[in-house]
Amino acid sequence: MAGALGLALGRLATSRAGRRISAGNPRTGGMAAIAMGAVGTVLAILHLATADGGPGTGNGLVGAVVAVPLGLGAVLLGRRALTRSTARTTPSGG
């Protein structure tokens, strides 16, 4: 769940970073997406390492396998939002 929330935050942050007039700070959204994505990935890996049985046993292994790329995607989208917001605030030399 944390990975999906981080992915949603990252998507919102990247869409805000591309606009001139935004409803919020894209840097804050990017940092939140990175944090939620990292937490979701760590929790999913921890769940994969400690769960008994295999897929289909009701232990949530398939959900944990899906949560790992969701969390990593959230981290990447958050990083992209931070990069885009920094590029917009940096004055161009010229």
Side-chain angles (χ1 to χ4, degrees):
M1 191 66 169
L5 179 62
L7 198 62
L9 286 171
R11 178 66 184 134
L12 284 173
T14 54
S15 66
R16 286 182 185 163
R19 289 190 238 154
R20 281 186 85 145
I21 301 172
S22 64
N25 189 355
R27 288 191 56 82
T28 305
M31 293 296 273
I34 290 172
M36 288 301 295
V39 166
T41 302
V42 168
L43 288 176
I45 291 172
L46 182 66
H47 182 73
L48 284 171
T50 59
D52 297 342
T57 59
N59 291 325
L61 285 176
V62 176
V65 169
V66 171
V68 172
L70 285 178
L72 293 176
V75 170
L76 292 175
L77 277 177
R79 182 173 177 258
R80 183 176 178 189
L82 287 177
T83 305
R84 290 177 71 186
S85 68
T86 303
R88 292 218 180 263
T89 59
T90 305
S92 61

